Amino acid sequence: MDSLKRVLRTPLGVGALSMLGLVFLLAIFAPLLWGEAASETDTAHLLAPPSAEHWVGTDSLGRDLWLRTLVATRLTVLLALGATALGVLLGILLGSAPALLGRRIGRFVTAAVNILVAFPGLLLCLFFAVIFGVGEVGAVFAIGLAGAPTFARLCHTLVAGVQERDFVTASRIAGRSRAYVLFKHILPNIAEPLVVQATIGAGSCLLTFSGLSFLGLGVQSPAFDWGRLMNEGLNRIYLNPLAALAPGLLVITAGLAFNLTGEAIARAFNVETSGSWVTATAAARTAARKVPAAFSAANTVPREVLRVTDLQVGFPGSNPVRGVSFDLRPGEALGIVGESGAGKSLTGLAIAQLIEPPGQVDGEITFLGMPLRPDGGEDQRKLLGTSMALIFQDPMSSFNPARRIGEQLAEISRVHQGMNRRAAWERAVDRLRAVRISDPQRRAGQHPFEFSGGMRQRAMIGMGLMAAPKLLIADEPTTSLDVTVQQQVLDLIDSVREEEQVALILISHDLTLVAERCERILVMYAGRVVEDIPASALAVAQHPYTRLLLAAVPTLATDLDSPLAVIPGSQPDPSTQFSGCAFAPRCPLADDICRTREPLLRNAIPPIDDTRKKPGLGITLKTSRMRLELNLGGKPGSPVHTGQVACWHKGEPLPAPTLIDDDLPDETLAGVGR
Amino acid sequence: MSTLRFENITVRFGSVTAVNDVTLEVPNGAVVGLVGESGSGKTTLARAAVGLAPMQVGRVLLDGVPVSRHGPARQLQMVFQDPYSSLDPRMRIGDTIAEALPEVARAEREGQVNRLLELVHLNPARAKDYPARLSGGQRQRVAIARALAARPAVLVADEITSALDVSIQGSILNLVRTLQRELGLTMLFISHNLAVLRYVAQRVAVMKDGGIVEEGPTAQVLGTPRDPYTKELLAAIPGR
Ligand SMILES: Nc1ncnc2c1ncn2[C@@H]1O[C@H](COP(=O)(O)OP(=O)(O)OP(=O)(O)O)[C@@H](O)[C@H]1O
Ligand code: SF4
Ligand SMILES: [Mg+2]
């Protein structure tokens, strides 16, 4: 139902579906309404030309050709659907054979299918028509069988794509049969593209069937379909052209209806499966040529690349981001950390203007001096498309699986920078080389599934570099990658940052990783920034949450006899209303103030030297152009916290790290292991 | 009683030898850590154990009995690194977990699923959700719950904490230790993080270029490494 609504949202969808609906209405009602009239012979008007009484004229028995054309809709559509069903069914069977029967037999089936695909469809069709004999049934089989190989191949490719995902493997390891996996996991995940192909296939079947009938190989009289009517009309094409043209027009209309419907579903389905991000990214990239002059001219380059003030993101009934503010200087690397659901990704998406309704964004975002608004116009889209690049966690869903990597990269330059096909392709190859993909020329011609996870992620970064971005937002860019590939990808991002002076927002749950790569870190908790800290000062973090996070990671010095520190409880849901500090239920320092009044971000307190010689003093001088950080009197080399903290008890010593043993009750364990 | 033993395993993909004549034992009730650089064959070895990688030579034994080379064996369960690929987007997470449960009565199923969800710190009410509604960290917890649901004799964990929140990493590592201590769960634990291995594993094996260059009790391997590559790994740890 939901997908139907999506299809209907576009003009194409509405047009295609109403056309198809009309065809089906005709197929159902025409024989009921005019079935008899269409077979009534009128000896007074044999072979009559078109007239007010007989719009398209009559045939050699004086039957009304217009009515016959309308009545023929049912048989035509039924036969086309029959042939499609046969082809689809066979195609699915053959295409999923490797998944069902295992690799060896599967390979055999696949090879056979590949050979069959190489035969021209019409040839197969004629071949089968000869075998099955002339007539409806023969033609259904002929067309169905002829369509099967193509469908099988598509099905096979789709199945193979899903099959290599871990959830399929996991199900197999859990002892599920191949058939179970096929029906429960694989087919549901490829349903949409199959439906699209089947719909478009029905259109071609209709055309082919009409062709066969027209050649006299399909429907035989006294039955009649559009092809048959065209065949009969052909004899007198010079005397009464309408007799052949009317069914011909309907063939084209119905064929188009199927095709366009398939097309419309395909578009709606893209939105649905590859997630709104991808389309939104594409939309964000729907920007042309270059950054508006005002923003690229050197003399007006703003001090900061990005300024975010009191950013809020809300959904009906929840507030996942509740006031985030920060600046970003050119070339600066900022990390955003926090546990799952803290609002890190939403912050990134909001900056890129990718929050979709019903989500709502409040607050100010200024990018390269331009205030961004959700309803921003052409200029904003240009700016975002060329100057901001995004890298997401899941590179597979960010690429269209059906298109070559190179094309997908080139498209950005073609559409948004106005390059021609050739130049754009060359730029794509060049960018793939820039992200250290070896043999970029060949790789550009490959499909996403032919890339390894790390390569896909690099290609995605390459995609971000098609234009000349000033800001790179990377949301967990390496979480789904093998750890050492992670290092390579992060190194790549680093070098890109240096070479092209790009500012970076690195979103990650991994505090250690972020600390290694970024100069400054925002620690988020429940939709707020709780600590804004230079990476070098992590050791002297002042927010209890940051400190507990650091204590939860084992080091080579961790005591092996006690459990690791765990932060008890969990982050509040974004639908919760707070009266005080969101961390209070989990905080060892929480008191009544914490529970009633929410702490705001304030400057961190200067560190006190523990030998009490002289207090260290951290001073931050902010001028319009730069930020000067001084450390007066502190121990030389000791890290100084020049950031901000939101806590009533910032910097106070935590009670000797309470190590909560999460030993579980026996009955919980009884269900696990043997 | 379940000792997992890899015997002279060699895995080739075309002309590439991913795992080269590896012999490794995961003693009953122990956690053995496996560390090594990308492409050194860690994941391939793990996949060979659960029947997912084609072994050209060698065999995998569970308590001395060869594990079927054709298709996966239920007593060996695996947890994957990527929580985005390891859950079916079209299946409710409760069903995903239930799928791995050994045959149990329907009535019992819900209780078991709830217990497993609690075990990985998820609200049992989440059982009705689809993966799209979970954050990355929450998905990985579901994946762990699913592996535990099958009541494995040996659990193979491939970088299971590297995609997890720091705040839950600790509790998962604690959980691994608890399971091992109380139930004697046998585990092959792959991680790039030596500090993590030091914490959970009794023995550590270091892999490089498809072979194991050093294996021994954790304290010994980390304290007095013999192989130059192990020394290199130790030196690369930040803050040292
Ligand atoms: N489209 C949406 N509708 C309603 N709530 C949403 C939506 N998208 C995200 N949320 C909620 O907003 C909160 C913050 O989500 P966000 O994705 O920003 O978290 P995150 O910090 O990136 O977490 P992770 O580390 O797991 O990626 C979560 O509780 C999430 O469930
Ligand atoms: S304000 Fe209170 S509850 Fe919140 S983090 Fe600080 S000490 Fe803990
Ligand atoms: Mg996120």
Side-chain angles (χ1 to χ4, degrees):
Chain A
M1 260 315 65
D2 221 36
S3 23
L4 184 66
K5 263 187 227 151
R6 269 174 195 269
V7 175
L8 283 176
R9 216 178 276 165
T10 60
L12 173 71
V14 174
L17 273 184
S18 20
M19 240 163 107
L20 194 64
L22 220 73
V23 171
F24 276 109
L25 280 181
L26 264 184
I28 296 170
F29 292 109
L32 300 178
L33 294 176
W34 305 299
E36 278 182 18
S39 47
E40 224 166 69
T41 50
D42 179 355
T43 37
H45 295 93
L46 298 182
L47 295 174
S51 64
E53 200 184 336
H54 302 292
W55 291 356
V56 180
T58 61
D59 65 4
S60 53
L61 293 176
R63 294 175 294 200
D64 185 284
L65 279 173
W66 175 237
L67 292 185
R68 284 175 76 75
T69 304
L70 294 183
V71 170
T73 312
R74 179 185 283 184
L75 186 62
T76 311
V77 170
L78 272 183
L79 290 175
L81 290 183
T84 315
L86 186 68
V88 168
L89 219 71
L90 268 175
I92 291 180
L93 270 180
L94 289 175
S96 45
L100 206 54
L101 302 176
R103 226 165 263 210
R104 214 156 298 167
I105 309 179
R107 208 174 293 157
F108 186 72
V109 175
T110 313
V113 165
N114 282 341
I115 293 174
L116 284 179
V117 170
F119 276 101
L122 196 65
L123 198 69
L124 276 182
C125 211
L126 290 176
F127 173 72
F128 285 125
V130 172
I131 293 186
F132 290 112
V134 174
E136 289 163 23
V137 182
V140 166
F141 271 97
I143 295 175
L145 291 182
T150 322
F151 213 84
R153 183 137 92 172
L154 171 82
C155 192
H156 176 72
T157 315
L158 291 171
V159 168
V162 176
Q163 219 178 351
E164 72 174 25
R165 307 202 58 171
D166 289 340
F167 63 79
V168 168
T169 317
S171 186
R172 291 282 290 136
I173 300 180
R176 295 297 169 170
S177 66
R178 288 208 176 96
Y180 175 96
V181 171
L182 181 67
F183 286 105
K184 275 291 219 209
H185 291 295
I186 298 181
L187 290 182
N189 277 293
I190 61 172
E192 281 102 339
L194 287 186
V195 167
V196 169
Q197 271 311 306
T199 314
I200 293 176
S204 341
C205 274
L206 194 138
L207 291 182
T208 320
F209 215 108
S210 302
L212 276 192
S213 291
F214 176 72
L215 292 176
L217 293 170
V219 173
Q220 305 297 316
S221 43
F224 55 98
D225 68 345
W226 289 335
R228 181 84 216 160
L229 290 176
M230 278 156 65
N231 171 299
E232 287 166 4
L234 187 71
N235 300 332
R236 303 197 312 124
I237 187 89
Y238 296 110
L239 300 173
N240 179 7
L242 269 186
L245 283 183
L249 272 177
L250 282 185
V251 167
I252 292 172
T253 315
L256 260 181
F258 276 111
N259 265 303
L260 290 180
T261 306
E263 202 59 42
I265 301 176
R267 290 193 193 176
F269 134 80
N270 255 341
V271 172
E272 248 189 338
T273 55
S274 13
S276 40
W277 281 15
V278 181
T279 33
T281 320
R285 292 201 171 109
T286 309
R289 273 203 96 53
K290 48 191 178 229
V291 183
F295 301 110
S296 55
N299 55 353
T300 56
V301 165
R303 280 183 302 286
E304 61 287 298
V305 178
L306 180 73
R307 161 163 287 180
V308 176
T309 316
D310 197 24
L311 176 71
Q312 319 235 4
V313 181
F315 290 96
S318 76
N319 277 313
V321 177
R322 307 176 298 129
V324 167
S325 307
F326 64 91
D327 298 346
L328 196 61
R329 285 169 290 129
E332 191 182 13
L334 174 77
I336 302 186
V337 299
E339 62 197 282
S340 222
K344 311 181 294 288
S345 298
L346 289 178
T347 302
L349 289 174
I351 293 169
Q353 302 295 311
L354 292 180
I355 302 282
E356 299 202 321
Q360 183 157 358
V361 181
D362 285 311
E364 283 165 34
I365 302 168
T366 312
F367 178 52
L368 295 175
M370 181 193 240
L372 302 183
R373 281 170 298 121
D375 54 351
E378 192 58 25
D379 279 359
Q380 173 174 320
R381 258 183 286 136
K382 272 183 202 164
L383 182 68
L384 287 178
T386 49
S387 304
M388 195 187 280
L390 301 137
I391 301 170
F392 294 125
Q393 178 161 6
D394 186 5
M396 195 58 191
S397 70
S398 311
F399 282 111
N400 179 342
R403 299 183 53 211
R404 294 170 205 288
I405 295 270
E407 277 171 27
Q408 299 190 51
L409 262 69
E411 185 176 359
I412 293 172
S413 291
R414 278 199 315 131
V415 179
H416 313 313
Q417 293 174 287
M419 284 191 190
N420 68 29
R421 195 173 273 276
R422 204 198 163 83
W425 179 268
E426 251 142 46
R427 171 113 181 126
V429 171
D430 176 67
R431 296 288 83 182
L432 287 179
R433 187 176 299 121
V435 293
R436 324 250 147 77
I437 284 181
S438 55
D439 199 359
Q441 195 76 42
R442 184 174 64 89
R443 287 295 185 175
Q446 292 187 331
H447 289 92
F449 67 86
E450 294 173 83
F451 275 44
S452 75
M455 282 166 57
R456 277 199 289 262
Q457 199 56 285
R458 277 185 248 181
M460 176 105 184
I461 298 173
M463 198 162 181
L465 296 178
M466 286 300 285
K470 289 278 163 276
L471 170 63
L472 189 64
I473 301 180
D475 187 357
E476 307 269 9
T478 57
T479 304
S480 57
L481 299 178
D482 184 343
V483 194
T484 24
V485 184
Q486 283 185 8
Q487 299 302 330
Q488 294 166 14
V489 170
L490 291 170
D491 288 348
L492 175 69
I493 292 180
D494 275 355
S495 66
V496 162
R497 205 160 65 79
E498 259 163 41
E499 282 160 29
E500 326 229 345
Q501 269 298 301
V502 188
L504 170 73
I505 296 181
L506 179 62
I507 300 176
S508 171
H509 68 281
D510 190 340
L511 192 48
T512 7
L513 179 148
V514 166
E516 268 172 47
R517 304 281 168 173
C518 297
E519 295 143 23
R520 196 153 61 101
I521 298 172
L522 300 184
V523 181
M524 280 188 78
Y525 188 79
R528 288 244 160 132
V529 174
V530 294
E531 185 151 14
D532 174 346
I533 182 173
S536 57
L538 267 184
V540 292
Q542 295 182 3
H543 197 282
Y545 179 59
T546 316
R547 291 154 73 194
L548 281 172
L549 280 185
L550 287 166
V553 194
T555 66
L556 286 181
T558 303
D559 176 12
L560 290 181
D561 294 325
S562 39
L564 288 170
V566 177
I567 308 177
S570 56
Q571 194 172 228
D573 198 77
S575 56
T576 326
Q577 299 288 333
F578 305 99
S579 48
C581 171
F583 189 56
R586 304 169 77 183
C587 181
L589 294 183
D591 59 14
D592 284 345
I593 305 178
C594 303
R595 280 183 280 268
T596 46
R597 292 176 51 207
E598 183 154 16
L600 299 177
L601 263 188
R602 294 278 178 260
N603 287 341
I605 48 167
I608 311 283
D609 201 313
D610 45 1
T611 52
R612 283 180 173 268
K613 273 182 212 145
K614 23 179 174 159
L617 185 59
I619 290 187
T620 304
L621 293 176
K622 269 192 189 169
T623 68
S624 57
R625 284 236 151 221
M626 59 180 293
R627 186 149 128 163
L628 186 64
E629 283 159 4
L630 288 181
N631 171 22
L632 305 174
K635 259 196 293 185
S638 66
V640 175
H641 193 330
T642 51
Q644 298 187 302
V645 186
C647 171
W648 294 119
H649 302 290
K650 58 188 168 197
E652 286 178 21
L654 289 176
T658 25
L659 297 175
I660 295 115
D661 188 352
D662 68 344
D663 267 356
L664 294 143
D666 286 347
E667 74 267 21
T668 315
L669 287 173
V672 184
R674 353 181 116 159
Chain B
M1 300 297 111
S2 12
T3 297
L4 180 69
R5 190 175 156 78
F6 296 91
E7 242 176 41
N8 307 98
I9 305 274
T10 297
V11 181
R12 282 191 213 98
F13 298 108
S15 58
V16 183
T17 305
V19 173
N20 192 7
D21 193 23
V22 165
T23 297
L24 176 68
E25 186 165 296
V26 185
N28 177 37
V31 175
V32 171
L34 189 58
V35 68
E37 66 182 351
S38 175
S40 65
K42 305 183 300 281
T43 298
T44 308
L45 188 65
R47 291 175 75 90
V50 296
L52 292 171
M55 283 178 275
Q56 269 74 26
V57 185
R59 42 189 203 157
V60 178
L61 304 168
L62 200 57
D63 294 329
V65 181
V67 174
S68 158
R69 282 177 67 161
H70 304 287
R74 203 187 177 106
Q75 316 97 292
L76 286 161
Q77 287 296 310
M78 183 157 173
V79 183
F80 302 85
Q81 179 186 357
D82 177 7
Y84 279 82
S85 158
S86 65
L87 298 182
D88 185 345
R90 300 299 164 92
M91 199 179 250
R92 294 178 200 278
I93 63 170
D95 294 336
T96 293
I97 295 172
E99 184 183 297
L101 284 171
E103 308 311 322
V104 289
R106 263 190 175 277
E108 244 181 87
R109 245 171 54 174
E110 196 180 318
Q112 298 245 20
V113 168
N114 289 352
R115 197 154 53 209
L116 285 157
L117 282 171
E118 275 172 12
L119 189 67
V120 293
H121 300 223
L122 280 177
N123 186 342
R126 288 282 197 176
K128 298 255 170 332
D129 280 350
Y130 287 97
R133 300 205 46 183
L134 301 189
S135 64
Q138 290 167 334
R139 289 178 195 223
Q140 186 63 306
R141 291 180 236 170
V142 174
I144 293 172
R146 171 182 53 199
L148 293 176
R151 305 193 180 174
V154 179
L155 201 63
V156 178
D158 190 1
E159 297 282 6
I160 54 168
T161 55
S162 57
L164 286 184
D165 275 334
V166 176
S167 65
I168 187 127
Q169 261 182 33
S171 68
I172 293 290
L173 295 177
N174 287 347
L175 178 69
V176 166
R177 281 170 43 125
T178 314
L179 292 174
Q180 190 247 326
R181 204 171 50 227
E182 314 234 315
L183 305 167
L185 193 70
T186 314
M187 207 167 176
L188 180 64
F189 193 100
I190 301 176
S191 173
H192 68 290
N193 188 332
L194 276 174
V196 166
L197 288 186
R198 171 178 171 272
Y199 192 70
V200 296
Q202 286 83 48
R203 299 180 74 85
V204 171
V206 182
M207 226 176 150
K208 186 176 193 306
D209 298 333
I212 290 188
V213 294
E214 181 160 8
E215 198 268 343
T218 308
Q220 181 192 316
V221 173
L222 300 192
T224 51
R226 279 175 292 121
D227 191 84
Y229 178 64
T230 316
K231 290 179 190 160
E232 211 179 294
L233 272 184
L234 279 163
I237 294 177
R240 275 206 121 210

